[in-house]
Amino acid sequence: MTDPSKYKFNHTMLRVKDPKKSLAFYKHLGMSEVNKFEFPDNKFDLYFLAYDAPGAPGHGKHWTDREGIIELTHNYGTEDSDWKAHNGNKQPQGFGHVCVSVDNIQAACKRISDAGYTFQKKLEDGRMRHIAFALDPDDYWVEIIAQNPVDKTEDVTTTDTATYRMNHTMIRVKDKDKSIKFYEDVMGMNLKRTSENEAAKFNLYFLGYGSESGNKSANGVNPTAEKEGLLELTWNYGTEKEGGKVYHDGNAEPQGFGHICVSVDDLDAACKKMEDKGVEWKKRLTDGRMKNVAFVLDPDGYWIEVVQNESLKAAPGKY
């Protein structure tokens, strides 16, 4: 048996050109390196970053027992080459952004800017004055949202990165109904919030594990800002009527975003349940040499890694 209430949206994987620069950026946002895997024979390393300060939801936990991790994948030599990550917002589109929620958004954005980092959208740009988009060293978009009312923090000059949360990951989907059904019925997530934007012809659907989010909202739009481990599905009206595949999974060229990952209570049982649901596999648990990871494909072809939560049960072999 497997219990989806024990599943966790563990991490989001991004390929990076220069790990030193990327690590510096995410550590500036207050994240800590909670794990690292080195594969010199295969010429790549994996860095796992998360919020780990006392009070953070995952503080002190095993890396598989957390939500809101960013996994940075570095293929050796890219830092000395002309390779460039595809951020998913230029054509072909797919992955959109990761999002960090902060205590005092004006002070947090100033701190990012003062460190020399640039923005796709500054807080004061456009009509949406409650969000910003910073750019990491590979031009991945990092949305910055507020945990507290924006009008109450205008004169606050300090920000505490220990209170930050890796809130969500956004991907674009072709058919909202198919995607929501997949993430609810197959992956065991719950729909936490819906944001309909009829004038702009797109909707946002936030899914995740754990308790309900409630209606509390700091700025009328972010009732889930205090959470970690949410998945945002962006649906642009009419894409469900288009033929064939609409969005880029990030693993075909040009590469950038790689996958999201769910940790489960019992890896064998969870994979059997997914098999019984008729999922399409990228890699079954029994395929290849790595018997401790599987990859499921969602309705848009995005890869979902499935791993054992090692705080609940030992993993079958090494990662």
Side-chain angles (χ1 to χ4, degrees), residues 20-312:
K20 291 182 180 179
K21 291 180 179 179
S22 296
L23 288 168
F25 173 84
Y26 288 102
K27 288 180 179 180
H28 184 72
L29 291 184
M31 302 186 93
S32 300
E33 187 177 320
V34 296
N35 199 31
K36 180 183 179 182
F37 290 117
E38 297 179 342
F39 298 95
D41 291 344
N42 302 104
K43 299 183 179 180
F44 71 90
D45 293 338
L46 309 176
Y47 302 83
F48 295 80
L49 294 114
Y51 286 102
D52 197 39
H59 173 64
K61 293 183 178 181
H62 190 274
W63 74 273
T64 59
D65 192 32
R66 295 171 179 261
E67 296 194 295
I69 292 176
I70 294 179
E71 174 190 352
L72 304 179
T73 294
H74 171 235
N75 293 296
Y76 296 0
T78 52
E79 67 275 25
D80 299 317
S81 73
D82 59 1
W83 182 84
K84 182 175 175 59
H86 180 69
N87 71 9
N89 293 299
K90 299 175 182 177
Q91 294 297 333
Q93 291 186 323
F95 165 79
H97 60 260
V98 293
C99 174
V100 172
S101 67
V102 301
D103 53 354
N104 306 316
I105 194 167
Q106 294 90 347
C109 287
K110 183 178 185 302
R111 181 175 175 274
I112 294 169
S113 182
D114 287 349
Y117 297 113
T118 58
F119 283 78
Q120 176 67 27
K121 178 201 174 297
K122 293 184 178 180
L123 201 57
E124 62 270 21
D125 294 341
R127 292 177 298 173
M128 300 178 73
R129 302 297 179 93
H130 56 275
I131 62 171
F133 284 90
L135 293 174
D136 88 347
D138 288 281
D139 286 341
Y140 291 116
W141 294 15
V142 180
E143 184 179 13
I144 310 296
I145 64 173
Q147 298 169 1
N148 298 304
V150 173
D151 59 349
K152 305 294 187 187
T153 58
E154 288 179 339
D155 298 323
V156 180
T157 59
T158 60
T159 182
D160 181 4
T161 59
T163 66
Y164 292 9
R165 301 287 181 263
M166 216 306 277
N167 180 252
H168 71 256
T169 295
M170 187 276 265
I171 55 175
R172 298 172 177 89
V173 300
K174 174 180 177 177
D175 187 318
K176 65 178 176 62
D177 294 328
K178 288 183 179 179
S179 293
I180 292 171
K181 179 178 175 59
F182 172 85
Y183 282 101
E184 288 185 328
D185 292 353
V186 177
M187 303 310 300
M189 291 184 174
N190 300 307
L191 182 62
K192 305 293 187 183
R193 180 170 71 88
T194 298
S195 175
E196 298 183 348
N197 301 274
E198 292 185 13
K201 297 184 178 180
F202 72 90
N203 291 353
L204 310 176
Y205 303 91
F206 292 83
L207 298 101
Y209 299 107
S211 61
E212 294 301 316
S213 299
N215 296 316
K216 178 185 175 183
S217 173
N219 299 290
V221 292
N222 301 327
T224 54
E226 78 287 356
K227 285 186 171 288
E228 289 196 317
L230 296 173
L231 178 66
E232 176 187 356
L233 306 180
T234 294
W235 171 60
N236 293 295
Y237 295 3
T239 51
E240 74 280 8
K241 299 175 184 177
E242 296 182 25
K245 188 175 180 180
V246 172
Y247 293 116
H248 179 61
D249 63 23
N251 292 299
E253 294 293 345
Q255 292 187 325
F257 162 80
H259 61 260
I260 60 173
C261 175
V262 171
S263 67
V264 298
D265 58 338
D266 186 308
L267 185 56
D268 289 314
C271 287
K272 184 180 185 305
K273 179 181 178 182
M274 293 174 193
E275 176 74 19
D276 292 344
K277 292 277 188 179
V279 300
E280 183 178 356
W281 297 96
K282 181 65 182 180
K283 178 200 175 296
R284 296 175 187 271
L285 203 55
T286 53
D287 293 343
R289 290 180 299 173
M290 298 180 71
K291 308 297 185 184
N292 54 352
V293 296
F295 283 89
V296 177
L297 297 178
D298 88 346
D300 288 277
Y302 294 114
W303 297 16
I304 304 171
E305 185 179 14
V306 186
V307 300
Q308 176 66 50
N309 182 332
E310 295 183 38
S311 72
L312 302 177

